[in-house]
Amino acid sequence: MSSATPIEHRRVITASAFSRRWIGRAWGVWLGLFPIADFLMRPPLDRSARNFDQVRDATPALAIALVSVALGALIPALWTGMAFGVDFRRAKYLALASFLVCLSIPLSFLQHSNLQDAIYVLLVYNAFFCALVLVSANVDPEEILRGLLTALAFMHAGLLIAVLIDHDYAWGRLFGRNAPAYWGIVAQTTLIASLALRRWVFRIGVIGMALAVLFLTQTRGSMAAAAAGLSVVFMIYSSKSRARIWLWMSIALAVIVMIVVGSDFVAEDLFKLSDPNRGIGSGLTGRANVWREAWDLFTSHPLIGVGYRQHEHLLTSEASAHNAYLATLADTGIIGFFGYVLFLFGGAWRAVRKAVANPSGPRLAACAFLVAFLVNGMVERSALNTGNAYCQLMIIMAALAWRQDDPDNGQA
């Protein structure tokens, strides 16, 4: 930067002043396009039979749209790199953490591959390349994160309003032309993204919309995941706040009120513990059987798996493994599983450390999101899927957590 001419210096300053305001929002708008495309282009589901293909397979038009949106990450990524410049030393930890993940995807197709599988490799590599550029950029990542999360919170909240107006219900649950779990994850992301909003009026509105959809979809996995992520954030924030005693007293009072006044509501209306199809006696809502199937697929191909995103087409009892860790084992074997665990768990740990060091809104949101993603993976397949905002945001959040903030001083 010191060798730049005055003209070059003025150009960089001007570009940076504009980009600091809009680049983060561009990342958020890009992510917000995923659920919009899915909602607008997915045909109504036939719920007269348990047809798994209609859930896991998109129509050709929707598939093209989602692939186009995924590849569209290049636009904000290249804008970020050109506006601020990059220092790839910031991404050296990310490169190490993501090596096994990127290696495992093509390896998983060695036993049975075709030209269609190449698109999966391209999409995963595109996601990690764009994350690499973002991590390497000479800009404060909190500026990017705040703009990203703000735009995403508003876009998701607006879409959730549209889903409610569309009023697609079945068996007492909000489906939204897809599945309750899908919109539960969108609501969970919206709830956590609200941590980055500056104005409390907007935050309350976004939170209210997210909580309403969580309740109407009855997605217990997303509820538990959001609770886990926000609980970690609460402990971090309260440990740093002078008002932590009042925070702890408030949460204790809320728990007592819930136990005394709302125990039946929580157990029956919210978690459906007595429901014969979804309650305690339902075998984890049928997940026990599909978990056995996914484990059997892994044990039959333990090293490199059956192929990235291929386990879904080999199951007979459900549309997916309903467990991100078993799905990763089945799809990419031991190599991919260890790579995924290192990237995600390591990123979550680093995000927690960064939030403890400086509990700003964007850092707390990143911490809460990654912790929630870890928990949600116990009951949903969301892992390295590139066709939705949830997993793409995980890659961005984990990658930024792996960023070495001060490469000149070796400070991680």
Side-chain angles (χ1 to χ4, degrees):
M1 191 60 128
S2 60
S3 61
T5 66
I7 294 177
E8 291 173 337
H9 182 68
R10 286 196 300 271
R11 180 184 64 79
V12 171
I13 292 294
T14 303
S16 298
F18 174 80
S19 298
R20 282 195 178 93
R21 177 175 295 179
W22 291 103
I23 280 187
R25 298 175 187 177
W27 283 97
V29 169
W30 163 68
L31 285 169
L33 292 177
F34 282 100
I36 290 176
D38 197 285
F39 178 67
L40 294 179
M41 302 183 68
R42 186 175 290 276
L45 301 179
D46 178 14
R47 302 191 185 92
S48 60
R50 290 173 65 83
N51 183 1
F52 300 133
D53 291 337
Q54 67 177 341
V55 176
R56 60 188 167 204
D57 295 335
T59 63
L62 177 56
I64 291 172
L66 292 176
V67 168
S68 300
V69 173
L71 295 176
L74 285 169
I75 296 174
L78 294 179
W79 182 11
T80 303
M82 289 187 295
F84 297 105
V86 295
D87 184 345
F88 287 111
R89 291 178 298 171
R90 289 191 173 91
K92 68 178 183 180
Y93 294 145
L94 171 62
L96 292 173
S98 59
F99 172 75
L100 283 180
V101 172
C102 293
L103 175 66
S104 69
I105 306 301
L107 280 180
S108 69
F109 291 119
L110 286 181
Q111 295 187 6
H112 42 271
S113 62
N114 54 59
L115 290 178
Q116 291 181 341
D117 297 333
I119 190 63
Y120 288 125
V121 180
L122 173 64
L123 289 172
V124 173
Y125 280 28
N126 177 76
F128 277 91
F129 169 76
C130 292
L132 178 73
V133 173
L134 178 58
V135 168
S136 303
N138 300 317
V139 63
D140 184 353
E142 288 194 42
E143 293 185 72
I144 297 288
L145 267 181
R146 189 178 292 279
L148 183 157
L149 292 169
T150 298
L152 188 62
F154 285 128
M155 288 189 71
H156 274 6
L159 180 59
L160 292 178
I161 293 174
V163 171
L164 291 176
I165 293 173
D166 188 61
H167 204 72
D168 179 26
Y169 283 82
W171 304 298
R173 303 178 70 189
L174 179 64
F175 271 69
R177 308 185 191 182
N178 193 314
Y182 182 88
W183 295 113
I185 283 174
V186 172
Q188 171 198 321
T189 304
T190 308
L191 180 63
I192 292 174
S194 69
L195 291 172
L197 298 180
R198 293 184 184 275
R199 298 190 178 182
W200 65 268
V201 174
F202 294 146
R203 184 180 298 171
I204 290 176
V206 169
I207 290 173
M209 183 56 56
L211 291 176
V213 172
L214 278 174
F215 174 71
L216 293 172
T217 55
Q218 299 172 11
T219 47
R220 295 170 295 190
S222 292
M223 294 177 193
L230 294 175
S231 294
V232 172
V233 163
F234 176 82
M235 288 187 288
I236 293 173
Y237 184 77
S238 64
S239 67
K240 297 290 183 177
S241 172
R242 294 180 179 179
R244 55 182 175 269
I245 184 63
W246 299 107
L247 288 169
W248 282 110
M249 289 178 66
S250 298
I251 197 68
L253 179 62
V255 170
I256 292 172
V257 170
M258 183 178 293
I259 292 174
V260 174
V261 178
S263 57
D264 289 340
F265 169 80
V266 172
E268 304 304 333
D269 294 335
L270 198 60
F271 290 110
K272 304 290 184 182
L273 296 183
S274 299
D275 191 306
N277 296 316
R278 305 185 64 225
I280 296 175
S282 63
L284 296 171
T285 322
R287 284 178 170 84
N289 292 331
V290 74
W291 288 351
R292 292 191 198 97
E293 277 195 84
W295 180 258
D296 290 341
L297 289 175
F298 160 65
T299 55
S300 63
H301 301 82
L303 186 60
I304 60 176
V306 298
Y308 171 73
R309 294 298 304 275
Q310 298 306 301
H311 85 276
E312 302 165 12
H313 302 283
L314 300 175
L315 298 174
T316 60
S317 58
E318 287 287 349
S320 73
H322 285 292
N323 185 294
Y325 308 105
L326 285 174
T328 303
L329 276 171
D331 282 343
T332 58
I334 290 290
I335 295 175
F337 177 77
F338 277 111
Y340 175 69
V341 168
L342 173 64
F343 176 71
L344 177 57
F345 280 73
W349 172 245
R350 290 176 63 87
V352 170
R353 290 180 59 192
K354 291 185 177 185
V356 170
N358 178 18
S360 63
R363 289 195 178 198
L364 290 173
C367 170
F369 178 84
L370 289 173
V371 171
F373 197 94
L374 292 176
V375 174
N376 203 69
M378 299 298 297
V379 292
E380 297 297 342
R381 71 175 182 183
S382 301
L384 290 170
N385 308 352
T386 57
N388 62 73
Y390 191 54
C391 297
Q392 291 276 7
L393 182 58
M394 180 276 290
I395 293 174
I396 291 173
M397 292 291 200
L400 286 173
W402 281 103
R403 169 181 162 123
Q404 184 176 353
D405 293 318
D406 190 351
D408 291 324
N409 297 326
Q411 185 177 355

